[in-house]
Amino acid sequence: MKIVRVQDIIGTEREVTGPGWTSRRMLLKKDGMGFSFHETIIPAGAVLNLWYKHHLEAVYCVAGNGKILDKATGETHEITDGTLYALDKHDQHTLYGGTEDMRLICSFNPPVTGREVHDEDGAYLPDTGED
């Protein structure tokens, strides 16, 4: 059994920050669960162009607000507490922070290792097989 407390991750190598986001990686590939699990904070007003070409992601909003643009369809969807979106087709999207910070709970398949950074397309590179 694994017990992970987000307050124990803050300030460690499992808290990763980039332009417009902070990700607290609660479960990683090396934890052996077959997926990774993160708490991600998107600050109010942030704009992120993302495209997870090599990962599927499910995201559940537990606080704050924002919106997501599906670049393939041009549709924009509001995100508020209680909203889940799933990037089940490696969807290119733009995530917009709203009037307050969004707190998102995210799961990636395949799991991330924790060292990923977004490339020029907003994607994580495919796993190299290393933990």
Side-chain angles (χ1 to χ4, degrees), residues 65-77:
N65 62 68
K67 61 185 176 179
I68 187 169
L69 167 67
D70 181 335
K71 289 187 175 181
T73 66
E75 292 179 290
T76 299
H77 305 277

Side-chain angles (χ1 to χ4, degrees), residues 33-55:
M33 296 291 295
F35 60 91
S36 57
F37 193 82
H38 316 211
E39 176 188 76
T40 300
I41 307 300
I42 306 297
V47 178
L48 301 164
N49 289 298
L50 302 168
W51 182 18
Y52 295 118
K53 297 182 269 187
H54 311 288
H55 296 82

Side-chain angles (χ1 to χ4, degrees), residues 39-123:
E39 176 188 76
T40 300
I41 307 300
I42 306 297
V47 178
L48 301 164
N49 289 298
L50 302 168
W51 182 18
Y52 295 118
K53 297 182 269 187
H54 311 288
H55 296 82
L56 299 175
E57 182 188 26
V59 179
Y60 183 64
C61 179
V62 296
N65 62 68
K67 61 185 176 179
I68 187 169
L69 167 67
D70 181 335
K71 289 187 175 181
T73 66
E75 292 179 290
T76 299
H77 305 277
E78 295 296 319
I79 301 171
T80 58
D81 181 11
T83 302
L84 177 133
Y85 65 88
L87 303 169
D88 60 338
K89 295 178 181 69
H90 304 282
D91 311 87
Q92 279 187 275
H93 60 288
T94 302
L95 189 60
Y96 298 93
T99 58
E100 53 189 68
D101 294 355
M102 274 192 294
R103 182 170 165 244
L104 306 172
I105 306 303
C106 314
S107 180
F108 279 88
N109 183 16
V112 301
T113 64
R115 295 185 308 271
E116 291 83 0
V117 293
H118 294 104
D119 69 10
E120 65 278 356
D121 290 327

